Amino acid sequence: MYLLYTIFTSLAFFFVFKRMKRRRYCTDLTRLDGKTVLITGGNSGIGKETAIALAMRGARVVIACRDPDKAAKAVRDIKFKSHSLNVSHMELDLANLRSVREFCKNFLQTEKRLDILINNAGMPSVLDWTDDGFSMCFGVNHLGHFLLTNLLLPRLRECAPSRVLTLTCSSYKYQKLDFQDLNYNLLPFFTYCRSKLANVYFSQELARVTEGKGVTTYAVHPGFVQSGWTCHFSFLFRILMQVVMWMFFVPCEMGAQTVVYCAVSDEAAKHSGGYFVDCRPATLRPFARDSGVAKKLWEASERLVKLA
Ligand SMILES: NC(=O)c1ccc[n+]([C@@H]2O[C@H](COP(=O)([O-])OP(=O)(O)OC[C@H]3O[C@@H](n4cnc5c(N)ncnc54)[C@H](OP(=O)(O)O)[C@@H]3O)[C@@H](O)[C@H]2O)c1
Ligand SMILES: *[C@@H]1O[C@H](CO)[C@@H](O)[C@H](O)[C@H]1NC(C)=O
């Protein structure tokens, strides 16, 4: 009797989890021959799967990573899995604005095109500071990408129609921005949420800035994904999260689907500035659609990264 009960509940759990993990694949098969894609943090997790998927569609793929050894290894993997040799890596540390400027200079010199920029790299809930003294989440997830995108924008305009994707997270909704304290660094999860909210505002304001100039922008929530993000945490937490991820999170390949969708789909291009979940446009909470706040964040960011 007890055995039967155990089997029954396990089966029930199994089907509930399976259902929760069901997600949509990107069914748009558009090719990207002749186009160049730049992916930040493409050496692991969602970024790497995105790189494989887009290289398979014929794009030239450049991954921008802070660790050259990890990057070289990832490039080998991406080439092997995508059957494409048009993949390379360049050094970029988003926690250092000088590195971002250096990277853009190199990139603009060596690469002729930029059709799709994917702001994918991200720090999870970690309390730390960047080399420039910004809170780690805000500095890497938002400011680094803000500067990067602005410096690459002329090239994106030249290659229009082009796209800028920014990875965010549905947890943006748990926090609001505090303009007195953009470098909020108190509760780890909340610093992460705020940086992902900043990504949402950034993507919307970028859509306004580039309107009519052939550049479209997308904020993407990839779902909850079994990627390498737990490596920043303690052993105990990693073990615990391994179990949680196994039950509730989707594999990286699945996590890349909405990113790929926004990179290629004509349907997505009709919603520039939009927020995308599960391969379709989704609705943001009203406070996150406030264009006044988005503009204010843009201007504050320009000052912080000394973009003038
Ligand atoms: N996993 C999820 O459930 C989930 C949910 C919602 C949103 N997201 C978002 O999805 C994006 C990708 O995350 P992931 O899940 O694939 O995590 P991941 O496996 O940890 O990948 C993060 C990538 O960002 C890179 N990175 C971190 N700091 C960097 C820096 N200072 N400069 C350059 N690159 C840096 C990492 O490089 P290293 O290998 O050198 O550390 C790594 O390649 C993130 O923006 C994340 O916020 C993830
Ligand atoms: C690599 O991709 C670029 C841009 O898509 C293209 O112009 C170039 O011909 C490709 N190179 C090779 C060797 O396929």
Side-chain angles (χ1 to χ4, degrees):
M1 195 56 207
Y2 190 69
L3 185 73
L4 253 167
Y5 172 78
T6 314
I7 292 174
F8 178 77
T9 38
S10 321
L11 272 177
F13 267 93
F14 179 75
F15 284 113
V16 168
F17 293 150
K18 244 185 99 106
R19 200 183 149 70
M20 286 185 62
K21 286 176 39 156
R22 198 159 59 206
R23 284 284 182 282
R24 283 146 62 101
Y25 275 99
C26 171
T27 51
D28 187 309
L29 300 177
T30 308
R31 302 255 334 151
L32 295 173
D33 304 283
K35 305 212 165 183
T36 298
V37 182
L38 174 61
I39 306 175
T40 65
N43 63 287
S44 77
I46 300 164
K48 187 171 160 192
E49 286 302 330
T50 306
I52 294 169
L54 299 183
M56 277 172 106
R57 291 167 185 255
R60 164 160 180 72
V61 174
V62 181
I63 59 173
C65 312
R66 57 178 166 171
D67 181 334
D69 295 331
K70 278 200 219 167
K73 191 171 164 294
V75 166
R76 284 200 293 277
D77 263 19
I78 296 165
K79 284 181 174 169
F80 179 73
K81 291 189 177 146
S82 65
H83 301 279
S84 160
L85 295 178
N86 216 340
V87 184
S88 64
H89 67 91
M90 287 175 71
E91 196 170 329
L92 164 68
D93 181 0
L94 288 158
N96 182 320
L97 295 177
R98 222 186 51 217
S99 166
V100 176
R101 289 181 184 277
E102 194 96 327
F103 168 84
C104 291
K105 214 174 107 212
N106 284 343
F107 183 88
L108 292 172
Q109 267 168 16
T110 53
E111 297 292 330
K112 287 190 282 301
R113 302 190 59 88
L114 178 57
D115 299 278
I116 304 170
L117 166 62
I118 305 183
N119 292 323
N120 159 83
M123 277 304 258
S125 319
V126 175
L127 292 186
D128 205 345
W129 303 94
T130 70
D131 297 345
D132 310 287
F134 300 114
S135 101
M136 190 53 101
C137 282
F138 186 68
V140 170
N141 301 359
H142 172 64
L143 285 180
H145 283 125
F146 175 82
L147 180 60
L148 179 84
T149 308
N150 273 286
L151 295 179
L152 298 177
L153 209 49
R155 181 59 54 85
L156 284 158
R157 282 184 185 161
E158 275 168 42
C159 295
S162 52
R163 303 185 184 212
V164 180
L165 279 57
T166 305
L167 275 277
T168 176
C169 180
S170 61
S171 64
Y172 78 84
K173 55 173 156 301
Y174 300 129
Q175 284 289 291
K176 296 215 164 63
L177 290 187
D178 175 0
F179 281 93
Q180 304 310 314
D181 186 17
L182 283 174
N183 273 305
Y184 170 89
N185 217 2
L186 225 50
L187 284 168
F189 181 59
F190 287 170
T191 59
Y192 176 73
C193 295
R194 288 183 187 201
S195 73
K196 291 287 134 183
L197 175 60
N199 288 150
V200 165
Y201 285 127
F202 163 71
S203 187
Q204 291 175 91
E205 186 61 20
L206 181 64
R208 276 185 281 277
V209 170
T210 58
E211 201 178 348
K213 300 195 171 84
V215 184
T216 49
T217 79
Y218 312 79
V220 182
H221 168 57
F224 293 98
V225 185
Q226 295 161 347
S227 64
W229 64 275
T230 55
C231 70
H232 301 278
F233 298 93
S234 70
F235 181 68
L236 208 68
F237 181 79
R238 288 214 301 272
I239 300 280
L240 185 78
M241 278 318 292
Q242 220 52 48
V243 179
V244 174
M245 288 207 291
W246 175 73
M247 292 197 296
F248 301 109
F249 286 30
V250 299
C252 293
E253 192 202 5
M254 212 54 184
Q257 293 302 314
T258 307
V259 187
V260 172
Y261 169 78
C262 289
V264 302
S265 148
D266 288 337
E267 199 51 48
K270 292 178 192 154
H271 306 269
S272 179
Y275 170 64
F276 296 80
V277 183
D278 213 11
C279 295
R280 57 190 141 188
T283 310
L284 286 165
R285 295 281 169 89
F287 82 89
R289 274 183 267 144
D290 187 328
S291 56
V293 178
K295 188 156 192 286
K296 198 168 165 192
L297 176 66
W298 186 279
E299 288 163 0
S301 308
E302 276 181 332
R303 282 193 297 278
L304 290 173
V305 303
K306 301 194 172 63
L307 196 83

